[in-house]
Structures are given as C-alpha cells and as structure tokens.
Amino acid sequence: MEKFHGLHGFHNFKKNSVNWLSEIFYDLLPTFGYEIREEQIFTAFQMLKAFSQKEVLFSEAGLGTGKTFAYLTSSIIYARYSGKPVIIACGSEALVDQITQPDGDIAKLSKALQLSIDSKAALDLTNFICMRKILEALRNQTLNQKITSLIDWVKKTKTGIRSEVPFISNEVWEQVSWEQGLNCGQCAIKYRCPTSLSISYRKAKDLIVCSHDYFFQHIRTKESLQEEGNVPLLPPYSAVVFDEAHHVEESARRALGDSISLQLIKNTLPSFLYNGLREAVVRLIEVTEENSIKFFTYLNSSIKNDLKINSIKQSETLIKLSKIMHSNFKNLIEELTIEGSVNDYIETQDRSFTYKIGIEKLARIEKVLNSLLDPSVKQVIWMEKNGDELAIWVSPFNIKEIMEKEVFTGIPVIFTSATLASGTSFEYIKRSLGATGSTVSRVGSPYNYTAQCLVYIDEGEETSTFNEKISKIVELLKISNGRSLVLFRDFRSLMNFRSVSEAALQNEPWTLLWEGDAAPSFLINKFKEDITSVLFTASFWEGISIEGSSLSQCIIAELPFPQDPQDDPIMKKKQEQAINLGLDPYKSVVVPEMLLKLKQGTGRLIRNSSDRGVISCIASGFRGTFFEKEFYSTFPEGAPFTTSLSKIEDFFREK
C-alpha cells in the first residue's frame, strides 16, 4: 500500500488500485481467516469505481456483506492517491466507536494488511470537557459536589472525553462540557484544554471518522468559524462515505436546525443572576421563566402523547403566548447585553465568558420563537417529545438544496446501507437527497436465507378487529414458544393493542415486554436473557441486533405506514412537495417510506450465519395494490414463502 504514495496520474491510479484491491480480498484477508465473499468484493470495486470517476453512488449491501471493509479499503486507496483524507460519516457515534476503537474495524484491517492507517475519530465536541468552565467554577466557588468529583479526573485526563467518567449525569455534564457558541480559537487556555488538544484529527492523512451530525455541523459552522479566525470542524477532504445512509436526511435536518425546551430555558436563565444585577433585569428574568412555563404547559396540553412527532397547531392562545415569549427574550437579550458591557463586576469576575454562552443560547431561543410567529416555507417546525421533555424544532426542509450546494461539489460521494432502496427502487432516496444523476449498486446478503429463514404470509383478509389480531399473534407465539419480536406501525397502535390484549395474554407462559415500560436497553437485554420472552414494540424496526434463539420469530403486526401527515409536519411537507412536482404523494412518498421501514424490520431476524427463524406477516393491506411486488421484495432474498401454519411448525421442529 505504501507504494501508492508516489502515484501520479489518473491512469496509474485506476490500474494499480484495481490490482491492489484484488490482492486485499483474494490473497491478504483470507490468510487472516476472513472468508472470500463475492458480495463484499463486488461492493468494494463498485465503490472504487465511484472514487475513480468522482461519482455519487448509492450502494445497498445486505446484512453480513462486510461493507465496512469494502469502503475502508477503497477509501484508503483514494485518500493516498488524492493526498487528502476521506470522511467516513456514520449514522451514530456507536458506529464511530466500532470503527475507530483500538480493537475496531480499522485496527483489524491494519493488522491484516500490515499497513499503518492514519485515521482519527472526530467526535461531537459536546463529548469533551471545557477547561475554562471548570476553572471559572473553581474561581467563583460555584462547584457542587458532583462537579467537584471531576476535578481529579480533569487534572489527569489527556482526552477530556465523557466516556472516561460514565458516572456523570447529563445535567452535570452540560454544566462543564463544550457547547455551541464557545470560541475555542480565542480562548486563552486552549493549549491546556483537552478539548482543543483533542482536535488533532485534522492531521489525519487517510481517514476521518465522524457522525452524520458532526459532518453537517461542519457544513453549518464552517463559514462562521473562518470569519472568527478559527479552523472549520473538518479539514479539506477528498471524498465522503455516508454509512447507515438511510438516516442522512434526518441527521442533516437535525444538525442544521435548532431546538428549544423548557429545561434549556430553566438551565440558562439562572446563569445571569448575580449580586448587583439591576432589579428590573432580575424581574425580567423571573417573568421570562414564568411565561416559558405557561408556554410549554400549553404546548404539552395540545400534543398527542402517543406520538413522538407532533405538528404545532396554530391558535389564538398559542400566537398570544408566542408573542409574549418572543418579546421577553428579545428584551432580555438587549438588557443583558447592556449589562455585560457596563458592569465592572462581570468583567472583574470573568463572568463575560458565562455571559457570552448564555446570550448565544438566548439568541437561539429567540430565533426559534420568531420562526413560530413568522414561519418560512423553506423551514419545517415540529414538536418532539422524549420522555417528559418537550422540544420545539425549527429546521430547513429542503435538504437536497444543501446537499447540492455543500456535498455534491465534484468529489466522490458514497451512500451505503443495508436498506437504501424502497423495494427495488432507489428513486425515493435519490430524490430526497437531490442526487438524481447518481449511480447505484445493490447486492444481497451472503446468508443462506433458503435454509435459515421462512416467511409466513397470512392468507386471510386484513384483520378487522383486535380480537382477531390477538388470536393470530397468540397462535404464532405458541408455535415458536414465545421468542418473538412483534412490530407495530406506531406507538399509538401498540398501546391500543395492549389495552385490549393484556387480559387475553396474561395466562400465557411467556414474559411479555412492552415498549415504554422501561429503557430500550433494559428491554433488549431482558429479551435476550429470557429466551421465551416476547417484545412488543413500535420503534425497533431498526437499530437493534439480537443474535441467537431468543429472537426466533419476527411478527409484522401492521405495515409501517408513516403517521398521518396532519400530525407529522415533515411528512406533510414531503407530500406537498411531491404534489408541486406533479407526483402522486401516496405513490412517491407514503409507500416508499413504508417499504424502507418494512425492509429494515424484516432484517431484524437473521443477524449471523447460524441464526434461524420465521418472519410472520399478518398484515394484508398489500394485496392487489400497485406495490404488491415491491412488498415481497422487502423480505430476505431466497427465503421460501408459505401461507401454512403447519409449515412453521415443521420449520421449528427441524434442528
């Protein structure tokens, strides 16, 4: 690989890179125990072609393909040729860790190839301590006991990363961590701060691995950082690979948007209180908090608690409360800015630092409130509830405009995931991201689905009552002796089913686990440990990997159509956009969204080469529709289909 340092000219790159990639997958990796997988090799060469021709590629690679090694190897080759690193943007920081940890994928590849790979992880800066916050808290004696427990760690740490102190709560960490608005470039102690020192990833020559959120934060902040004299979050790069790419649109929308919550306001306002603050300003802070509580109390009363995403319904009361809130925050920013510029106390106690952070937060809150009063057609606004906390989000809607301007700039861009196509078509995701002129690659899984999996399709009509659905699910659970994941369209439907089914299920021998009763991680661990348990959920269509016999059946209770667009403003805008383009919103938005989610759900069952199980679909709303053929294509390729319950019994009797 080191010979690629001296490559000159496109022709040599194309010739030598093909030879080298062949050597990796057919010679080097097998000697270290890696099996030859033609699906993986095909994917790697398709990616290499995209790099060499500077294409935008959508590469769907089924479970077990080994797409991570496919894009890592081709990315390293291109980085060495171009002289700039390739960005690997992952759907979660968990995947960033999986790739970059000392025993992660890059380390394994480096060992197998006996190659020094220059790579760095670029983690969200909120994962890092802010040394100046710690020093200021010490100076002003505002440390509580939990923050005090961090002092010894701060003196020793070389990274300043939160994972080294997992016992610290979110509430405490937010008081001492880096946050948006901090200007590290102008910080006097940046050379002693582990956060500043941790940004050594800018020097990586081969790969920089980050989350989707981090990548789009780079897009959002690069110009403002440069104007302040700071370097952008990411250095110049030669290409981008998006893993878990079916999340790119959502990740971009969140990273480029703003959100506010009552907790954010309650945490921010007290930071401005100190002895000597004018009484009028103190009272304005108190009134602002009182009105914030009224505002969020009203919003909470208007939402449907069984939905995570909610539209904000305009009303006279909401407009009145929004105007009061907006006025409060606008006046507060003005008063506090004056206070910060004339009050000697603030300067002498170094409170200007706290003031700057606080006013940045107030400005973001005021911006969101202004959007509520004067919404833009280019923005989408929604409410989102996580646990007891309600947040308001304002974000740009047309992600494709940002992608066209900031991402598709003539460099290679690769989107890869196990689920990119809706059925067999890539048109929906290509249109959503503004990549209509891109190329596609699709390979199935190397798993032997013919032997490992059976697909049961209920041949009856769509169940018209919950009792019929309960009866069918119980029948299936008895055949598999529990050991099942039961998937519902949304949380509302799950709760409706639970309310009428618990009496019928209470005498059955299986442990019943319901989403919402405990943290997701607890439910998943319990499901793994209690082999015959049954997990009822609306959220685990993706994002979980459960190997072994505890997941032997995946029951599709309902087709996962998106929620009513009147409740989901993002889906509503997507359908409006489709209409403006002359498209049928049901065919071009609703069904593709459903098929993508269904494919993710059917992928929960077989997670390794030794898993066996049944996918049972008791929903029948696909029959006779224009998407019936695409419906069947969402199930594992090669898996046999049946409409006979006795066939399921035979399958489970087999070893």
Side-chain angles (χ1 to χ4, degrees):
M1 180 62 179
E2 304 300 337
K3 62 187 177 183
F4 277 44
H5 278 305
L7 267 180
H8 296 287
F10 178 82
H11 177 71
N12 286 338
F13 164 72
K14 188 172 183 180
K15 177 183 176 181
N16 291 332
S17 60
V18 168
N19 292 339
W20 193 78
L21 205 59
S22 298
E23 184 181 352
I24 288 175
F25 287 105
Y26 286 111
D27 298 328
L28 296 177
L29 289 178
T31 64
F32 276 81
Y34 294 96
E35 61 186 74
I36 294 175
R37 285 175 279 186
E38 295 300 333
E39 297 90 350
Q40 180 187 51
I41 296 169
F42 176 82
T43 299
F45 275 98
Q46 289 296 108
M47 291 177 172
L48 186 64
K49 175 176 174 287
F51 280 123
S52 66
Q53 298 185 6
K54 296 187 177 181
E55 295 176 335
V56 176
L57 170 68
F58 287 85
S59 175
E60 183 176 276
L63 294 168
T65 300
K67 61 181 170 58
T68 306
F69 271 21
Y71 66 66
L72 288 178
T73 50
S74 53
S75 295
I76 293 166
I77 295 174
Y78 190 70
R80 301 262 173 128
Y81 163 70
S82 66
K84 296 178 184 178
V86 171
I87 305 297
I88 308 295
C90 304
S92 65
E93 292 206 351
L95 182 55
V96 174
D97 288 343
Q98 176 186 311
I99 293 174
T100 60
Q101 287 297 302
D103 59 346
D105 294 311
I106 291 176
K108 292 174 182 175
L109 186 64
S110 177
K111 182 179 180 181
L113 303 183
Q114 297 182 0
L115 172 71
S116 177
I117 300 172
D118 189 2
S119 65
K120 300 290 182 184
L123 298 176
D124 186 335
L125 294 185
T126 57
N127 285 299
F128 294 90
I129 199 80
C130 173
M131 185 66 78
R132 189 169 174 181
K133 280 187 177 180
I134 289 285
L135 293 178
E136 183 177 334
L138 279 170
R139 184 162 43 246
N140 295 317
Q141 298 182 338
T142 58
L143 289 175
N144 62 37
Q145 185 175 358
K146 291 181 179 179
I147 296 179
T148 304
S149 67
L150 287 171
I151 299 301
D152 289 340
W153 169 72
V154 169
K155 292 176 181 178
K156 298 175 185 177
T157 182
K158 293 182 180 180
T159 67
I161 194 167
R162 184 183 180 179
S163 58
E164 294 182 351
V165 282
F167 56 88
I168 295 298
S169 68
N170 290 343
E171 183 179 358
V172 173
W173 184 255
E174 287 174 3
Q175 297 177 50
V176 296
S177 65
W178 184 93
E179 60 184 290
Q180 188 176 342
L182 292 181
N183 187 342
C184 296
Q186 296 179 5
C187 180
I189 62 171
K190 65 179 180 179
Y191 298 110
R192 292 186 286 128
C193 181
T195 302
S196 294
L197 297 176
S198 72
I199 310 180
S200 59
Y201 58 77
R202 293 193 178 100
K203 300 176 182 178
K205 295 178 180 178
D206 292 327
L207 306 172
I208 298 174
V209 187
C210 65
S211 66
H212 293 172
D213 289 347
Y214 192 95
F215 178 83
F216 287 106
Q217 282 290 345
H218 162 73
I219 297 298
R220 175 177 181 165
T221 61
K222 62 179 181 179
E223 290 184 3
S224 61
L225 287 172
Q226 288 170 334
E227 289 171 0
E228 295 169 352
N230 297 320
V231 293
L233 295 181
L234 294 171
Y237 47 83
S238 59
V240 186
V241 176
F242 291 101
D243 198 353
E244 299 178 314
H246 57 287
H247 286 307
V248 167
E249 183 183 8
E250 180 185 2
S251 298
R253 189 169 284 122
R254 290 178 180 277
L256 298 169
D258 287 297
S259 69
I260 64 171
S261 66
L262 182 58
Q263 193 62 49
L264 171 67
I265 294 170
K266 284 185 172 182
N267 289 344
T268 303
L269 293 179
S271 66
F272 296 103
L273 297 172
Y274 63 92
N275 292 331
L277 183 64
R278 284 179 292 143
E279 183 62 32
V281 182
V282 173
R283 181 55 187 153
L284 180 55
I285 290 174
E286 292 172 349
V287 168
T288 301
E289 181 168 343
E290 290 168 5
N291 287 330
S292 297
I293 293 171
K294 292 178 183 177
F295 177 74
F296 277 95
T297 299
Y298 175 78
L299 286 177
N300 261 303
S301 69
S302 70
I303 70 169
K304 299 176 179 178
N305 290 318
D306 50 2
L307 296 176
K308 182 178 180 181
I309 302 293
N310 274 266
S311 294
I312 297 179
K313 310 294 185 184
Q314 289 293 343
S315 68
E316 289 185 11
T317 303
L318 178 61
I319 293 171
K320 179 182 177 181
L321 291 173
S322 299
K323 286 181 177 179
I324 293 171
M325 283 275 284
H326 183 258
S327 177
N328 286 163
F329 279 96
K330 186 176 180 180
N331 293 338
L332 192 55
I333 291 169
E334 292 174 357
E335 293 293 339
L336 289 171
T337 301
I338 295 170
E339 192 76 18
S341 64
V342 300
N343 195 309
D344 291 339
Y345 177 86
I346 295 172
E347 294 300 327
T348 55
Q349 297 299 317
D350 196 24
R351 290 185 59 88
S352 59
F353 174 65
T354 303
Y355 254 63
K356 183 181 184 302
I357 300 171
I359 289 176
E360 287 274 359
K361 288 182 180 178
L362 296 183
R364 296 207 309 272
I365 295 168
E366 190 268 341
K367 179 182 175 184
V368 171
L369 292 168
N370 187 60
S371 295
L372 281 178
L373 292 169
D374 186 20
S376 165
V377 294
K378 291 189 175 182
Q379 290 180 322
V380 60
I381 304 171
W382 72 93
M383 294 186 293
E384 186 169 314
K385 193 156 190 178
N386 286 303
D388 294 329
E389 183 164 323
L390 179 67
I392 301 172
W393 278 88
V394 176
S395 180
F397 172 68
N398 274 327
I399 298 304
K400 65 179 184 178
E401 292 181 3
I402 296 161
M403 298 293 289
E404 289 167 355
K405 179 183 176 183
E406 301 288 353
V407 181
F408 306 137
T409 57
I411 63 171
V413 180
I414 294 173
F415 299 92
T416 187
S417 173
T419 51
L420 286 177
S422 298
T424 57
S425 172
F426 289 82
E427 291 309 306
Y428 178 65
I429 192 167
K430 289 165 68 174
R431 188 174 66 249
S432 298
L433 297 176
T436 52
S438 55
T439 58
V440 301
S441 165
R442 187 168 182 247
V443 296
S445 170
Y447 296 148
N448 184 3
Y449 287 118
T450 302
Q452 291 179 249
C453 182
L454 177 68
V455 177
Y456 167 76
I457 304 294
D458 185 26
E459 62 183 347
E461 295 299 318
E462 188 78 32
T463 52
S464 56
T465 68
F466 272 119
N467 287 335
E468 291 173 4
K469 187 172 290 186
I470 294 167
S471 178
K472 179 62 68 174
I473 289 175
V474 169
E475 195 171 13
L476 290 167
L477 293 177
K478 286 181 176 178
I479 296 174
S480 62
N481 188 26
R483 302 187 300 163
S484 298
L485 179 71
V486 187
L487 295 169
F488 287 82
R489 172 187 172 184
D490 53 37
F491 194 69
R492 176 193 297 172
S493 183
L494 172 65
M495 289 297 95
N496 288 340
F497 176 81
R498 180 177 186 175
S499 67
V500 298
S501 67
E502 281 193 294
L505 293 169
Q506 64 181 354
N507 294 323
E508 299 298 342
W510 322 293
T511 301
L512 305 181
L513 305 171
W514 298 90
E515 180 187 351
D517 281 359
S521 57
F522 175 86
L523 291 174
I524 292 169
N525 287 334
K526 181 69 175 175
F527 182 61
K528 291 177 180 178
E529 293 166 3
D530 190 337
I531 300 299
T532 62
S533 62
V534 181
L535 177 55
F536 296 87
T537 175
S539 299
F540 297 156
W541 291 86
E542 63 171 313
I544 61 168
S545 182
I546 300 172
E547 300 178 0
S549 61
S550 59
L551 178 47
S552 294
Q553 182 174 211
C554 179
I555 299 176
I556 310 295
E558 298 167 323
L559 297 182
F561 283 102
Q563 68 188 56
D564 188 330
Q566 298 307 313
D567 296 324
D568 185 342
I570 298 173
M571 187 56 55
K572 183 178 181 180
K573 282 225 170 192
K574 282 190 172 188
Q575 294 191 43
E576 289 172 351
Q577 185 183 60
I579 293 171
N580 291 336
L581 293 172
L583 302 172
D584 182 325
Y586 184 74
K587 290 183 177 180
S588 62
V589 176
V590 176
V591 170
E593 285 274 355
M594 182 276 290
L595 291 172
L596 269 173
K597 194 169 184 179
L598 180 61
K599 185 186 290 187
Q600 292 158 2
T602 61
R604 295 310 96 204
L605 184 70
I606 305 299
R607 306 302 295 181
N608 63 36
S609 58
S610 60
D611 279 345
R612 291 181 80 253
V614 175
I615 301 172
S616 297
C617 180
I618 63 172
S620 56
F622 62 90
R623 287 203 178 92
T625 65
F626 69 91
F627 60 85
E628 183 170 359
K629 181 179 178 182
E630 298 289 3
F631 164 83
Y632 281 104
S633 72
T634 63
F635 293 90
E637 189 173 353
F641 285 77
T642 184
T643 58
S644 168
L645 290 174
S646 64
K647 293 287 186 182
I648 304 179
E649 294 172 343
D650 293 342
F651 182 88
F652 280 119
R653 275 196 291 266
E654 295 174 5
K655 290 185 180 180

